[in-house]
């Protein structure tokens, strides 16, 4: 399934390599309430860091608020994460979320504030990059959902393999999932509840009816794959529970990065899930979503550098 766009501007962004991946999503201010720390975070940032380690060509498309962009920009630059300097900063504040690490080392995340993502829309330069990209992965905060659906409705995703992270499904219903998946090829859901919940059957139905691939991670229980491409097929892939040295914060993002890298390279769904599991296991070693070294010298501030 393919989708695409053609756009430009007076000063276009340099084109990327033919197989470039665009990552679309919020880079947030992660507020660790117990420790009193505030660090750059967000699923798009975490996936970007992993793809950098994997050597996959990509570009991060995001928005930061000009009132607090400094820490995130320093992290991106220090870790070699490519982005568009001309459009990354917008008036206002960046997205933010509160994080509490529970005694079982699982994160509880709440009070998400959209900030500049409340009015997010691609610039002409970003749409030009989209037109030449091979892949797009979107982390679905509200601003990204609206923009992804706009692009799909306008036919601007033709020619691109589109993946999307539906996070923990907290703000979704099966009906809304179906609307978004109409413009997506590969959907990821981090399912937190009962594997026998009727909503999981609904995810399967959407995948089969639309002819899409939906990968549902269920923590240490299993990964369920609903593959509606061709003859519909369902798989349940076991997961071996591992001791958590750090936290499980960022495991889902690592899973997705490794899974997509393999899936877009080989097309082998089972191999992709196995690589995703290896990536997710790697992230259990860290107390933050990424290694501590990623955050050196990037403490939060309120000014643009």
């Amino acid at each position: 399934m393919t989708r695409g766009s053609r756009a430009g501007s007076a000063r276009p962004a340099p084109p990327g390599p033919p197989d470039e991946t665009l990552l679309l999503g919020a880079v947030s201010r992660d507020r660790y309430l117990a420790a009193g720390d505030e660090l750059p975070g967000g699923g798009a940032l975490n996936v970007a860091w992993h793809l950098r380690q994997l050597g996959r060509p990509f570009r991060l498309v995001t928005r930061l608020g000009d009132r607090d962009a400094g820490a995130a920009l320093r992290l991106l630059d220090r870790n070699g994460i490519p982005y568009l300097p001309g459009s990354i900063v917008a008036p206002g504040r960046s997205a933010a979320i509160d994080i509490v690490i529970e005694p079982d080392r699982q994160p509880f995340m709440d009070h998400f504030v959209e900030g500049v993502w409340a009015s997010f829309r691609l610039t002409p330069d970003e749409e030009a990059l989209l037109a030449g990209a091979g892949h797009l992965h979107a982390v679905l905060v509200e601003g990204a959902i609206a923009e992804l659906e706009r692009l799909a409705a306008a036919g601007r995703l033709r020619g691109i393999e589109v993946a999307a992270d539906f996070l923990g499904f907290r703000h979704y219903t099966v009906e809304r999932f179906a609307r978004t998946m109409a413009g997506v090829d590969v959907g990821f859901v981090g399912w937190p509840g009962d594997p026998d919940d009727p909503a999981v059957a609904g995810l399967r139905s959407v995948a089969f009816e639309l002819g899409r691939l939906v990968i549902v991670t269920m923590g240490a229980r299993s990964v369920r794959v609903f593959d509606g491409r061709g003859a519909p097929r369902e798989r349940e892939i076991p997961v071996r529970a591992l001791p958590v040295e750090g936290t499980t914060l960022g495991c889902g993002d690592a899973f997705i990065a490794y899974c997509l890298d393999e899936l877009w390279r080989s097309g082998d769904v089972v191999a992709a899930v196995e690589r995703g599991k290896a990536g997710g296991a790697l992230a259990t070693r860290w107390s933050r979503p990424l290694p501590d070294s990623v955050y050196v010298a990037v403490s939060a501030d309120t000014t643009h550098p």
Side-chain angles (χ1 to χ4, degrees), residues 150-166:
R150 180 188 75 83
L151 293 166
R156 294 184 175 179
L157 299 179
R158 285 193 201 93
I160 304 169
E161 189 78 9
V162 180
D165 179 3
F166 290 81

Side-chain angles (χ1 to χ4, degrees), residues 116-160:
V116 293
W117 275 86
S119 57
F120 176 80
R121 185 162 177 159
L122 293 184
T123 67
D125 276 0
E126 289 165 342
E127 288 205 27
L129 278 181
L130 180 65
H135 306 97
L136 170 69
H137 175 58
V139 180
L140 295 179
V141 299
E142 288 295 340
I145 295 168
E147 183 65 347
L148 186 67
E149 292 183 354
R150 180 188 75 83
L151 293 166
R156 294 184 175 179
L157 299 179
R158 285 193 201 93
I160 304 169

Side-chain angles (χ1 to χ4, degrees), residues 16-50:
D19 196 37
E20 183 175 46
T21 295
L22 294 187
L23 299 180
L24 175 67
V27 172
S28 58
R29 293 179 292 119
D30 286 0
R31 301 180 294 213
Y32 294 87
L33 299 187
D37 294 336
E38 184 173 299
L39 295 169
L45 172 62
N46 299 336
V47 171
W49 184 85
H50 286 291

Side-chain angles (χ1 to χ4, degrees), residues 203-267:
L203 301 181
R204 180 200 302 112
S205 296
V206 170
F208 291 172
E209 288 168 10
L210 294 181
R212 304 298 197 258
L213 175 63
V214 175
I215 298 173
V216 184
T217 58
M218 297 185 171
R221 294 170 294 186
S222 67
V223 177
R224 296 181 72 176
V225 177
F226 305 132
D227 193 347
R229 306 167 302 170
R233 183 172 182 181
E234 177 178 351
R235 294 182 174 94
E236 184 156 11
I237 300 174
V239 174
R240 182 170 62 90
L242 298 172
V244 178
E245 298 175 33
T247 72
T248 61
L249 186 62
C251 289
D253 300 324
F255 175 92
I256 288 172
Y258 278 71
C259 183
L260 283 177
D261 185 59
E262 178 64 32
L263 184 65
W264 286 339
R265 184 185 63 80
S266 70

